[in-house]
Amino acid sequence: MARLDQIRPLGVRWLFFRLRNGQSIGPARLMSVWCEATESSECAVRREIIDGAGYVYALYAPNGLRSPRRVELRMRALLEEAGYAFTMGTLAGRHPGDD
């Protein structure tokens, strides 16, 4: 069962990722990077603790997010540029505004 570290998020859960090699990212830094990737301040982040498996970071933004694929690629690039090693997933299916 997952335990939540943050309050109930806003919007749609667009992406989630897990950091490797014992890395972590604080909520303020994560929010800053996510807002930069989405080019929006209407975002939320949440860290979930999965029993026995560590943390999963969930990224939320408005349902009308423009170019979700571009946002995903920007987020990946920003995390890589910051030196993070990670695995990332998206929600199944397509969202409004997908390229």
Side-chain angles (χ1 to χ4, degrees):
M1 188 60 127
R3 188 177 87 227
L4 306 179
D5 279 354
Q6 300 234 346
I7 61 172
R8 185 173 174 266
L10 304 172
V12 174
R13 182 176 176 174
W14 288 95
L15 297 173
F16 62 92
F17 68 97
R18 182 181 305 228
L19 293 174
R20 296 189 201 166
N21 304 324
Q23 296 178 322
S24 66
I25 185 170
R29 175 73 178 133
L30 180 56
M31 182 66 128
S32 174
V33 172
W34 180 230
C35 286
E36 184 177 345
T38 62
E39 299 175 331
S40 172
S41 61
E42 297 180 32
C43 298
V45 300
R46 184 168 76 177
R47 182 175 72 173
E48 300 174 357
I49 301 172
I50 308 299
D51 292 337
Y55 297 106
V56 174
Y57 299 89
L59 308 175
Y60 296 79
N63 189 41
L65 187 65
R66 293 182 51 209
S67 301
R69 180 66 176 148
R70 190 175 116 236
V71 169
E72 177 188 347
L73 294 174
R74 283 176 49 92
M75 186 65 182
R76 287 178 181 275
L78 290 167
L79 288 171
E80 288 170 357
E81 288 170 11
Y84 292 104
F86 59 92
T87 56
M88 183 177 286
T90 61
L91 292 179
R94 298 184 59 82
H95 296 284
D98 276 351
D99 294 330

